[in-house]
């Protein structure tokens, strides 16, 4: 068992409702040496910060309450080392965003979320066993079936020997009640005297005392069925996240000294070379070293169109290779690939409580004791002071007791938040917890970075103008000069030539002239390609100046091609808006959100992009200026989201109410911001805000269902219209309804 930074995460089996989480939380907090506890029902996890010597006591405490517990394994199998020559300049350098996780609640837990946790001693014998497999194979399922059969048998015996009714139904009730009572006592001793198990035990025993053994048995059976349904519903929410891990293949083809061999994917080390054949899933995050192919990223990012990948491009574990083989250099260990990090971050996010959830937790601490007191008063006051019959009013008091469990109310928020986080993760929208989700709902203004956020982040050739030569010839000669260069503008020209199938001639005496351009000899002609200023120093541009000025006014960078010191043509380039940027901004506008673009680029370029997208643009800003503008918007009473790349926008991302990183699953995008748009679509910012609004609406519906059902049955019980059976249905039924309503969020489409 590995403990890091005095913090340990556990998988807790059989925890399906808020009452479970509360009992575990209170019990573990009482252990001497435990500093902080965070329990997530929907993730099925618990994080404990402790002195480092109480792990066995924690496990004993949780198993004593009737739950299975296993430490989340952070040990990774020894990696297969890459061959020595694989380590050249492709080392994965994390300098610049090296995070100190020791101070975070989510210390890196490098484990495989898809792996089944080891069985824990003490798990058996409790009805809170593992929820793996079919419902009837679980401990809860077996107990519910056994209790149901006992109730059926009791009905049969009662028909044959009516005088034995009370005894046979009491025996049937005890089949289910004994495990419930055992948990009730354990919870009471651990600081939770008002658990649903305790309320159930008191109600069932009270029913037998007043001669309502048949109802007592049915109530216990219905309670067990309700718990079973809660487990199935909670399991669906957990499965939606854990199923992501199944996307990563179990094996990888490792390339060593020209020979390939199959190894477990979890053993692929950083720097190792992997061969991915057409149609196969990529087993690790990495960079393409050889080959070009389209990659289907939909399983990871939700991007519906396959993305073309070539040498130097990044690929993610779990995505599907298209038509050609790719050789990839792994850039992260299996335990820390994009999918593993998304799963880990979403599960950790589920452990952080939203303000609404914290309020409901507080409310529930008063709610149950209040209803218990009300039940006592209903049972005692009418017989004592008004001469009413004891049995009838004790019966009503017992029914009210069952209404006292706040499970449905407490689960109303985390169930919806867990479903929303899971839905978001499966569609490339990573949201760091309920508090962020709740803040996103109220966003009034979104500030966008330009380069790499609203635009592609790399220039493209937009115009080719022939002066002394025709346009194809201008492109052909310019591409010859730029061949071999890695400059972004050179890459744009070469990409345009490649798209057009241009045959690039050889260049001699090629030279890069610092700050001016490039020169060389092609087919016996002396060529120069550079800025208008540098070209103007070599020859007159009088005939081309008007065209140059017009292109620059559109925010484009202009390169002038000279052939034998005469102006031959112009090539204009610009970092163009993302294909979906206009539609994404339109969706935000339709949602009533104000938008503006904050960029350090020159005013001319910024205005051109802003005009094309219909967004207010503020240019030539330093990081401190962006921070100031975000602050000014907040002073106007607006809730502000800042969208950027997570690096140069760090101050503004931190200052905004919600910082949203655009990126493809990079460490910075996943670790630094409050939320991340994994496949970089501007439209997904609007989708994220819409998801937050739908989630908060769902939470309101859940609260109405939970409190509404209890209020109705409280009144009808006092009036004598309903009894014990409807009361238990009001509790477990409301919990199931609330959970299923929350899970509707999983089925929505972006």
């Amino acid at each position: 068992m590995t403990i890091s930074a005095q913090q340990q995460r556990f998988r807790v089996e059989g925890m399906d409702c808020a009452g479970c989480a509360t009992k575990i939380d209170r019990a573990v907090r009482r252990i001497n040496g435990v500093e902080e506890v965070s329990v997530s029902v929907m993730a099925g996890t618990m994080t404990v910060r402790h002195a480092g010597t109480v792990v066995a006591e924690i496990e004993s405490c949780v198993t004593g309450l009737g739950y299975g517990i296993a430490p989340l394994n952070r040990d990774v199998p020894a990696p297969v080392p890459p061959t020595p020559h694989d380590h050249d300049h492709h080392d994965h350098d994390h300098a610049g965003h090296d995070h100190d996780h020791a101070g975070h609640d989510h210390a890196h837990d490098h484990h495989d979320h898809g792996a089944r946790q080891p069985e824990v001693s003490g798990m058996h014998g409790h009805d809170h066993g593992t929820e793996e497999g079919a419902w009837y194979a679980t401990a809860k399922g077996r107990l519910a079936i056994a209790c149901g059969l006992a109730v059926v048998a009791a009905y049969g015996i009662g028909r044959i020997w009516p005088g034995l009714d009370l005894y046979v139904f009491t025996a049937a009730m005890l089949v289910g009640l004994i495990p419930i009572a055992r948990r009730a006592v354990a919870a009471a001793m651990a600081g939770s005297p008002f658990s649903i198990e305790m309320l159930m035990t008191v109600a069932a025993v009270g029913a037998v005392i007043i001669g309502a053994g048949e109802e007592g048995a049915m109530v216990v059976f219905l309670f067990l069925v309700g718990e079973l349904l809660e487990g199935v519903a909670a399991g669906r929410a957990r499965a939606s996240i854990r199923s992501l891990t199944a996307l990563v293949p179990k094996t990888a083809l490792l390339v060593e000294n020209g020979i390939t061999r199959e190894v477990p994917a979890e053993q692929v080390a950083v720097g190792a070379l992997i061969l991915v054949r057409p149609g196969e899933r990529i087993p690790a995050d990495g960079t393409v070293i050889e080959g070009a192919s389209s990659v289907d990223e939909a399983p990871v990012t939700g991007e519906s169109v396959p993305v073309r990948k070539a040498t130097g491009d990044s690929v993610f574990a779990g995505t599907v290779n298209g038509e050609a083989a790719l050789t990839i250099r792994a850039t992260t260990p299996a335990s820390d690939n994009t999918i593993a990090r998304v799963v880990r971050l979403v599960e950790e996010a589920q452990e952080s409580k939203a303000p609404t959830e914290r309020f409901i937790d507080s409310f529930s601490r008063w709610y149950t004791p209040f209803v218990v007191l009300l039940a006592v008063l209903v049972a005692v006051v009418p017989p004592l002071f008004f001469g009413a019959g004891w049995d009838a009013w004790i019966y009503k008091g017992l029914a009210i007791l069952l209404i006292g469990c706040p499970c449905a109310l407490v689960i109303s928020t985390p169930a919806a938040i867990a479903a929303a986080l899971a839905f978001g993760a499966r569609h490339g929208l990573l949201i760091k917890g309920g508090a962020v989700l709740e803040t996103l709902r109220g966003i009034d203004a979104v500030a966008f970075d330009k380069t790499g956020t609203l635009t592609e982040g790399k220039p493209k050739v937009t115009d080719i103008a022939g002066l002394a030569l025709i346009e194809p010839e201008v492109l052909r000669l310019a591409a010859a000069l730029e061949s071999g260069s890695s400059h972004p503008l050179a890459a744009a020209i070469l990409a345009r030539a490649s798209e057009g199938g241009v045959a690039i001639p050889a260049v001699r005496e090629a030279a890069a002239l610092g700050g001016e351009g490039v020169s060389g000899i092609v087919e016996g002609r002396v060529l120069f390609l550079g800025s208008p200023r540098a070209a103007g120093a070599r020859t007159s541009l009088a005939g081309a100046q008007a065209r140059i000025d017009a292109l620059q006014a559109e925010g484009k960078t202009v390169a002038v091609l000279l052939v034998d010191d005469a102006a031959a043509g112009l090539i204009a380039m610009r970092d163009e808006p993302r294909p979906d940027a206009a539609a994404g901004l339109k969706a935000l506008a339709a949602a009533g959100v104000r938008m503006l673009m904050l960029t350090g680029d020159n005013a001319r370029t910024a205005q051109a992009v802003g005009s094309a997208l219909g967004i207010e643009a503020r240019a030539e800003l330093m990081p401190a200026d962006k921070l100031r503008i975000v602050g000014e918007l907040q002073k106007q009473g607006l809730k502000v989201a800042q969208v950027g790349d997570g690096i140069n926008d760090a101050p503004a991302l931190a200052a905004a109410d919600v910082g949203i990183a655009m990126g493809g699953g990079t460490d910075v995008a996943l670790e630094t911001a409050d939320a991340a748009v994994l496949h970089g679509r501007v439209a997904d910012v609007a989708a994220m805000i819409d998801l937050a609004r739908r989630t908060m609406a769902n939470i309101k519906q859940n609260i109405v269902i939970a409190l509404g059902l209890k209020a109705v049955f409280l009144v009808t019980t006092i009036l004598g219209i309903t009894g014990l059976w409807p009361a238990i249905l009001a509790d477990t039924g409301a919990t199931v309804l609330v959970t299923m309503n929350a899970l509707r969020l999983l089925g929505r489409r972006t």
Side-chain angles (χ1 to χ4, degrees), residues 568-662:
L570 308 174
I571 296 180
M573 290 158 281
R574 188 171 69 183
D575 181 13
E576 291 292 270
R578 290 177 181 270
D580 78 305
L585 295 177
K586 187 176 179 182
L588 280 170
V593 177
R594 178 183 171 186
M595 299 158 293
L596 66 162
M597 181 175 74
L598 308 180
T599 179
D601 210 343
N602 67 75
R604 195 164 49 192
T605 301
Q607 288 302 327
V609 173
S611 297
L613 294 175
I615 184 173
E616 176 187 348
R618 301 192 191 181
E620 299 176 8
L621 302 173
M622 298 296 287
D625 297 321
K626 294 183 181 182
L627 180 65
R628 173 181 52 78
I629 292 168
V630 167
E632 288 171 357
L633 291 171
Q634 289 171 326
K635 284 176 184 175
Q636 294 171 23
L638 300 175
K639 279 195 176 179
V640 183
Q642 167 71 31
V643 186
D645 61 13
I647 303 171
N648 59 4
D649 296 300
L653 282 167
D657 294 284
V658 177
I660 303 174
M662 296 282 275

Side-chain angles (χ1 to χ4, degrees), residues 409 412 699-710:
L409 178 64
S412 60
I699 287 170
K700 287 178 182 175
Q701 293 164 8
N702 285 346
I703 292 170
V704 169
I705 291 170
L707 288 179
L709 272 176
K710 288 186 181 295

